[in-house]
Amino acid sequence: MYVTTGAIELKLPEGSNRILVKNLFLSCDPYPISGAGVAEDLDSGDPEFKKGDLVWGLTGWEEYSLITASMLFKIHHTDVPLSYHTGILRGEFVFISATSGAVGELVGQFAKLMGCYVVGSAGSNDKVDLLKNKLGFDDAFN
């Protein structure tokens, strides 16, 4: 085994409209290939983003990601810990998909406790009724 060290320059390919980010926080969602993340913009081919911007969105479980701008949102206020952007505290509105299971039901209830407007998607009218009338979701549909 040989251990070598080296350096590479991280930059976008010429003409790219993507964003190169360094991931700072990653969600602990049950699918580890990608998930919600908070990152710092290192190089941007999109005029809406610039070096140093803090962003959140769908990132890879890796140290650096090359992402399309449509997958990212700027973080304008840093008055809460950046890690909050990877979980249920992403904003004032939370959409919970596939809430027929316990995880979605709990996430919806946590979001309600944090003052979010919660909408659920369920597989039957009985589950829609459960979400709206027993668990307190603001809206739900089948």
Side-chain angles (χ1 to χ4, degrees):
M1 179 170 86
Y2 295 96
V3 176
T4 61
T5 60
I8 61 169
E9 182 180 356
L10 293 174
K11 67 177 190 173
L12 289 174
E14 188 68 34
S16 175
N17 62 351
R18 295 179 138 201
I19 299 170
L20 175 65
V21 298
K22 177 174 178 50
N23 293 311
L24 305 174
F25 296 96
L26 298 169
S27 68
C28 55
D29 294 324
Y31 45 94
I33 294 171
S34 65
V38 172
E40 179 182 0
D41 185 339
L42 298 179
D43 193 8
S44 177
D46 186 293
E48 297 296 317
F49 296 88
K50 66 181 187 322
K51 184 176 182 175
D53 282 346
L54 293 173
V55 297
W56 74 267
L58 189 62
T59 65
W61 271 57
E62 55 202 4
E63 190 170 0
Y64 299 95
S65 296
L66 188 58
I67 304 173
T68 303
S70 64
M71 304 296 283
L72 296 175
F73 302 89
K74 280 188 189 181
I75 297 174
H76 295 286
H77 305 287
T78 56
D79 53 340
V80 296
L82 291 174
S83 62
Y84 283 17
H85 293 273
T86 65
I88 64 172
L89 301 178
R90 290 186 191 138
E92 296 176 358
F93 178 88
V94 175
F95 175 77
I96 308 296
S97 180
T99 52
S100 59
V103 173
E105 292 172 8
L106 285 174
V107 169
Q109 290 176 313
F110 288 142
K112 286 297 296 176
L113 288 171
M114 299 307 299
C116 296
Y117 184 89
V118 179
V119 177
S121 169
S124 72
N125 289 334
D126 288 339
K127 290 177 184 172
V128 167
D129 181 62
L130 171 75
L131 296 179
K132 289 172 71 173
N133 299 319
K134 295 194 177 173
L135 298 178
F137 282 37
D138 297 293
D139 200 1
F141 59 91
N142 181 348

